[in-house]
Each structure stands twice: as C-alpha cells, then as structure tokens.
C-alpha cells in the first residue's frame, strides 16, 4: 500500500473541509481495488447531527465514481494523537471491503486491520460467513 500517497491526498482534501462548528478539519483517502484513490473531508451542518465524516464522504465519492471494491483508507487530522474513524464509519468501511486503515497526524502513523477496529462486522448477517 502506498501510504505516502494516500496520506498526501488526505491532507490535500482536508483543506476543503467544511467544519465551521467544530473547527476540526479532517481528510480521508480510500483506495479502490483497481488502484484509484478517492478522497473526502468532513462536511458539517448547523443541525450538528447531520455532519458527515471525512471517511464516509470519501467512500461516497468512490461509489459515485463506480468503485465498489475498496481496500484501504487513510484518515488525517492535525492532532496530538492520530484520530480514529467513528463506529458508523467503521461499519461503512466494512460494507465496501476496506481491509487496512491508517491513522495519521503530522508525525505519527498507526496502521490497523479494519477487523481489529470492528471485529466480525458482517458475520452472520444475511448468512455471511465473515
Ligand atoms: N470527524 C471526521 O470527519 N472523522 C473522524 O474520524 C472523526 C471526526 C469529524 C466530524 C466533525 O465534523 C468533526 O470531525 C469533529 O468531530
């Protein structure tokens, strides 16, 4: 996985974050199985609960481009500790097959399997095996 490229794309997209309420811009990049990279940023709303996380926006961009099989995601924020996708985003990442997740801030990178962040995300549902 070319994490350097993924992280760069995520930082670039973070510049477009719409985060006037939290003032907490986030960028994310997803890689599709065919190698294409798609990116997203958080999109907040005055009705706070409508906020879309960067990760789910990146997935939506990929799906809109016709990439349904996703393999990896990087998320970046300018924090002391690398941030981690929320529970809802983890479930959405599982839906499209993301396997590897990189959490990055300006100086640190932490890599996880999605299975570590959300074990048995789809097991048993509609007779899925894993
Ligand atoms: N946020 C993300 O976009 N991704 C994360 O992984 C954590 C949080 C956004 C949501 C909200 O706009 C802001 O960060 C503060 O929670």
């Amino acid at each position: 996985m070319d994490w350097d490229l993924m992280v760069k794309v995520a930082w670039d997209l973070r510049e477009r974050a719409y985060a006037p309420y939290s003032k907490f811009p986030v960028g994310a990049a997803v890689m599709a199985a065919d190698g294409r990279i798609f990116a997203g940023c958080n999109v907040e709303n005055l009705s706070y609960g409508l906020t879309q996380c960067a990760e789910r926006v990146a997935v939506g961009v990929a799906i809109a481009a016709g990439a349904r099989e996703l393999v990896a995601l990087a998320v970046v924020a300018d924090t002391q500790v690398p941030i981690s996708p929320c529970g809802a985003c983890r479930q959405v990442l599982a839906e499209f097959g993301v396997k590897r997740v990189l959490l990055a801030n300006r100086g640190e990178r932490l890599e996880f399997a999605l299975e570590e962040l959300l074990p048995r995300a789809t097991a048993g549902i509609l007779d899925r095996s894993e």
Side-chain angles (χ1 to χ4, degrees), residues 5-125:
L5 179 57
M6 293 278 283
V7 164
K8 186 194 176 327
V9 169
W11 280 117
D12 285 350
L13 237 291
R14 178 178 169 275
E15 296 292 321
R16 300 211 183 128
Y18 178 72
Y21 306 108
S22 71
K23 302 192 182 348
F24 189 80
V26 179
V30 286
M31 181 168 282
D34 63 11
R36 284 185 292 166
I37 295 175
F38 303 94
C41 56
N42 49 338
V43 183
E44 298 188 342
N45 193 276
L46 179 59
S47 179
Y48 291 2
L50 298 182
T51 289
Q52 295 173 272
C53 295
E55 296 91 323
R56 266 178 288 166
V57 170
V59 169
V61 169
I63 296 302
R68 290 207 165 173
E69 201 185 326
L70 306 179
V71 295
L73 171 126
V75 59
V76 304
D78 196 2
T79 48
Q80 289 289 327
V81 172
I83 66 164
S84 194
C86 75
C89 285
R90 293 176 196 202
Q91 192 74 39
V92 170
L93 297 175
E95 180 74 21
F96 297 105
V98 170
K99 299 278 182 291
R100 305 300 303 176
V101 177
L102 190 81
L103 319 178
N105 61 12
R106 296 274 179 210
E108 195 179 353
R109 292 181 185 184
L110 304 173
E111 186 178 346
F112 294 91
L114 185 64
E115 179 69 23
E116 293 176 83
L117 300 178
L118 188 68
R120 301 186 65 76
T122 59
I125 301 171

